[in-house]
Every structure is written in structure tokens, then in C-alpha cells.
Amino acid sequence: MAEEAIKISGKKKSMFIDKVKQLLPDGGNLNLCLTCGACSSGCPATGLEGMDPRKFLRMAALGMDEELLKSEWAWMCTMCQRCIYVCPMKIDIPQLVFNVRGSRPRDERPKGILGSCNMALKHDTCSAMGASEEDFKFVVEDVAEEVRNTQVGWEELQAPVNKQGAMYFLNQNSREPVTEPDEMVPLWKILHLAGADWTYGTKGWAAENYCMFMADTESWKHIVEVKAKAVDDLGCKYWLNTE
Amino acid sequence: MSIIQLYAQWVREGKLKVNSDWNKDLKVKFTVQDPCQLVRKSLGDPVAEDLRYVVKAVVGEENFVDMTPNRSNNYCCGGGGGFLQSGLPEARREYGKLKFEQIMATGATYAITPCHNCHAQIHDLSEHFEGHYHTVHLWTMICLAMGILGPNERTYLGEDLAELLMPETREAEE
């Protein structure tokens, strides 16, 4: 709980909450809060920075924009949406959080997220760890070759790259090709046994999208478009998540 | 779409011949994290059921212990939304304490995390709060249960399973 009572200044300010309402279908129900606290009681971020979801929403409703934008709490809420799930009025607090994130000047957002987003914008791979098209293809082919040579019964194991017309375009979190490539092998074995018609693509293969977490909507959109185009260009039917 | 849906389909169709006999006597207990992005935010409870169907087929129904709450009502682990990259590790672990306690309450020695952010966060929580449970990907357990998990594919298994059902290998040809 808060240590001090919230003080409301007399003058009504710009009201950040009104801007967000305009962006959301049905205003994100942001003015329907019954203050029941179901959101806060089941939120793992409750208490961090002396904040909780209900308080965050109430502060927005009271026009305390400056305090919301100054708090780090918007970066401690993971936008997991459990608060919406339990809310009797289905209030979209995570969207409010997302827009608070996006209201901070871009270069002042958390360095790690910013760096990962910027890195993903450098290559058409969309890799937040900066893996290039060549790096990815090399690692996949190298690891597959080693399995074929050393594991009995896996002489025919394939990890196709840029296979035109495959049913599934499999994405891959950068963590595997960059730091622990052997973790990809169980996945390939499963796909092999299932007889799945799948492929990786040198473009758009990276599963992660930090630009979304950073609330940089233009960059987020760019990344999604690059990935969608990669799937379409190979004529694949499904974008398949490994998770 | 999610590969979890396909795993379930392929197990049902008999394409993935998984078997939980390896765990009949060992009785190693497993729990599973429902990733927010996959379950609550995307495909809902049906995919949570697919996930449980696969996990039970792989480790044995009697060796699966659910967290409470679960499925769409599950708590986020604190690895999502960029928290892992936000440079706020203390807050991230404080957030994750709820998840850590939830996992510990199951008594399971393995947490299956079918999401990269969940995997990194739940693994870190175990180390930080000294929980001594292991954190594994689902693909690891599916391959282990089919006896096809190679020697270099066992990074996240504990000592109890590190050598179990090891398939045959040979020296690479020069």
C-alpha cells in the first residue's frame, strides 16, 4: 500500500488516459473501474515501486500523468493481462501501461530493450542478437551435419533453409543459434519423426520482437511485416512458433 | 500457430511414439508453466490442455503436478514484456517470487517451460532463491521419452536424468 496519501492538484491536466481511450476499442473500458481490486490482488507486480494495477489506473483517471510517466512501474508490469482476465469490467490496464511506455522519449527507454530492438532493425533476420542471414544458415547446416555424422539413426536428419512451398515456416528464438545451437536438434528430430513439411527462412526467422516490448509501434510493425513477407515469399502456409 | 498444438496432434496420431515408462519407478515429478503469451493472450485454455496432454504422455500422469492457479488464470513468471532486458533484475526477481513459491509448492523437481522468456526467468529464479528445481524445454522431455535425446542436448537436465536413455553415437568421420 502507499505510504502517503495521493494528493490531487486542483487543476485538471492534459489527461493521458483520454488519449489512450481514443486509441482503444470501446475506450479499453478505462472508465468502468469498480475499484474492487481483483486486478491488484492477483498481480505479481503489486507492491513494486509502491504501485499496483488499480492504483495505476486510478492515478491515470485522476490525471496524474507526470507521476505515471516518471515511475519505472510501467517497465515492471509485463503486460501479462491477468488483470484483464480477472476484471469484472474487462478493463485494459496493460494497454495503458503500453502507452505509458511509449510516451517516454525513445532513447530514454531501458537500454537492454532499446538495444535489442535496434539490433533487430539492422538485418532482415529480425534477430535481437544481431545474427545475420549467413550466420544463421551456417549454424543450422553445421549442427545438422554434425548430428548426421555422429548420431546413430539420424543420418537422414534435415534442417531445411529457404525451402520453397513448405507447409510450416518455423521461427527460432535467437538464443539457440547464437548461444546454444544444440538445443535446436530435439526440435528437428521431432519434426522429422512427425514427417512435417517445414523450413527455416534466412529472412525473418527470429522469433523475438523487443520493439513490441519497447512500445515502438512503427518498429514493431516493421518487424512483423518483414517476417510476414518472409513467410509469403517462401509460399509457406503457417508461421510456426516453437513455443 | 504454436508447435504445442502440433505436438499434441502428433502424439494423438501416433507419429511421436512417446512413452512414460522410464518414469514409472523413478517417479520424477514435473510441473508446467502456462506461458501468458501462448495461453491467456493467444490460444486460451485449449492449448493449455494440449500442453498437459503432451506433458502427461511424456512424464506419466501420476508424475505431473499442476501449479495453482493455472491455465488462463496462471501467474506470469516475470520474464515477459521485456523484463529480462530492462535492467531491473531486483524488481524482476521480486516479481518472480510468487512464481517461485508456486513452483516450490508443487514439490516438482522439474519445471517445463515452453517459452524462452519463461525458461530464462524460471531458471534464474531457481538459482537466485536456491530452489533446486530444474528448468527444461518441452522438446527436451519429448525426445528423452522417445530415447532420442543426444548427449549434447541435455544441458538443462539434472544429474538424475543426465545419462538416462542415452542413444548410440559414433565418432565423426574426418
Side-chain angles (χ1 to χ4, degrees):
Chain A
M1 295 305 280
E3 288 177 9
E4 288 175 50
I6 293 171
K7 295 193 183 72
I8 310 161
S9 58
K11 247 192 337 204
K12 187 163 164 165
K13 298 180 217 162
S14 63
M15 299 296 267
F16 177 74
I17 196 170
D18 293 331
K19 282 187 220 155
V20 178
K21 271 190 221 161
Q22 286 168 14
L23 297 171
L24 298 176
D26 302 325
N29 289 2
L30 293 176
N31 54 355
L32 297 182
C33 177
L34 308 171
T35 69
C36 71
C39 52
S40 300
S41 69
C43 171
T46 287
L48 300 177
E49 300 275 286
M51 188 69 81
D52 62 63
R54 176 174 56 177
K55 188 168 165 186
F56 196 85
L57 178 67
R58 298 320 306 154
M59 285 171 73
L62 294 169
M64 299 174 71
D65 300 5
E66 216 173 287
E67 289 84 349
L68 288 183
L69 297 174
K70 219 167 49 191
S71 167
E72 288 292 315
W73 195 80
W75 303 94
M76 297 176 179
C77 159
T78 60
M79 301 179 285
C80 79
Q81 299 190 3
R82 192 176 187 277
C83 55
I84 307 178
Y85 186 76
V86 299
C87 176
M89 307 310 286
K90 297 287 166 246
I91 297 176
D92 198 341
I93 298 174
Q95 272 291 358
L96 196 59
V97 169
F98 180 88
N99 282 279
V100 167
R101 287 188 180 199
S103 298
R104 190 185 281 195
R106 192 176 187 278
D107 57 0
E108 289 172 26
R109 298 179 205 175
K111 266 202 307 245
I113 303 177
L114 178 64
S116 294
C117 170
N118 286 345
M119 190 61 93
L121 296 171
K122 280 192 179 164
H123 300 277
D124 277 352
T125 60
C126 304
S127 169
M129 294 172 87
S132 69
E133 296 179 40
E134 299 74 30
D135 292 343
F136 181 66
K137 188 161 189 278
F138 175 80
V139 170
V140 168
E141 289 177 351
D142 192 51
V143 172
E145 181 68 15
E146 171 149 351
V147 174
R148 285 194 290 269
N149 286 336
T150 60
Q151 297 201 25
V152 175
W154 294 100
E155 294 77 7
E156 302 300 318
L157 182 70
Q158 297 297 319
V161 179
N162 293 337
K163 182 180 165 195
Q164 199 70 38
M167 170 96 81
Y168 301 108
F169 182 114
L170 184 70
N171 62 32
Q172 190 72 62
N173 188 289
S174 287
R175 190 173 133 182
E176 274 94 32
V178 176
T179 66
E180 41 186 16
D182 287 323
E183 283 294 320
M184 294 187 286
V185 179
L187 206 49
W188 302 343
K189 288 176 173 171
I190 291 168
L191 291 160
H192 178 92
L193 290 177
D197 178 19
W198 72 283
T199 188
Y200 284 128
T202 44
K203 292 184 192 296
W205 55 265
E208 65 275 8
N209 190 343
Y210 281 90
C211 299
M212 174 178 72
F213 299 148
M214 206 173 65
D216 176 350
T217 46
E218 278 310 304
S219 302
W220 174 11
K221 181 163 172 261
H222 167 80
I223 299 246
V224 171
E225 283 171 349
V226 170
K227 291 176 182 179
K229 182 172 186 308
V231 178
D232 288 344
D233 285 350
L234 285 179
C236 298
K237 200 165 170 200
Y238 297 101
W239 163 259
L240 184 59
N241 286 317
T242 64
E243 45 193 50
Chain B
M1 68 188 298
S2 164
I3 202 163
I4 311 289
Q5 299 167 291
L6 292 179
Y7 289 158
Q9 184 189 327
W10 294 334
V11 170
R12 285 190 185 101
E13 291 171 354
K15 288 180 178 167
L16 298 178
K17 297 185 184 3
V18 295
N19 192 312
S20 63
D21 287 351
W22 63 272
N23 204 17
K24 259 201 178 112
D25 297 324
L26 286 176
K27 299 183 173 29
V28 179
K29 301 292 184 230
F30 290 78
T31 190
V32 70
Q33 166 70 354
D34 290 292
C36 307
Q37 184 60 37
L38 174 71
V39 179
R40 183 166 47 248
K41 297 171 75 171
S42 303
L43 301 171
D45 286 343
V47 78
E49 296 308 327
D50 279 346
L51 180 55
R52 279 159 182 75
Y53 173 77
V54 176
V55 169
K56 287 174 185 173
V58 164
V59 307
E61 181 148 14
E62 69 283 10
N63 294 311
F64 171 70
V65 191
D66 229 329
M67 295 182 210
T68 309
N70 54 52
R71 298 177 172 83
S72 290
N73 201 29
N74 192 28
Y75 295 130
C76 170
C77 65
F83 216 166
L84 284 160
Q85 304 278 342
S86 65
L88 303 163
E90 281 172 24
R92 173 171 57 75
R93 288 177 179 136
E94 188 58 32
Y95 182 117
K97 192 121 200 300
L98 188 63
K99 177 55 57 186
F100 174 76
E101 285 162 2
Q102 210 188 358
I103 294 171
M104 293 303 285
T106 65
T109 46
Y110 282 83
I112 298 176
T113 51
C115 156
H116 283 79
N117 287 333
C118 299
H119 184 276
Q121 167 76 345
I122 288 174
H123 189 264
D124 178 71
L125 291 173
S126 180
E127 298 210 328
H128 182 78
F129 294 117
E130 297 181 0
H132 309 298
Y133 61 79
H134 304 283
T135 311
V136 291
H137 296 288
L138 183 52
W139 58 65
T140 306
M141 296 317 301
I142 294 174
C143 284
L144 184 79
M146 291 194 288
I148 59 168
L149 190 66
N152 299 335
E153 298 149 27
R154 297 174 173 245
T155 308
Y156 295 102
L157 292 179
E159 274 178 29
D160 54 343
L161 303 181
E163 300 293 326
L164 193 79
L165 298 170
M166 187 68 84
E168 200 184 334
T169 55
R170 61 169 172 267
E171 292 295 315
E173 290 165 29
E174 288 304 317

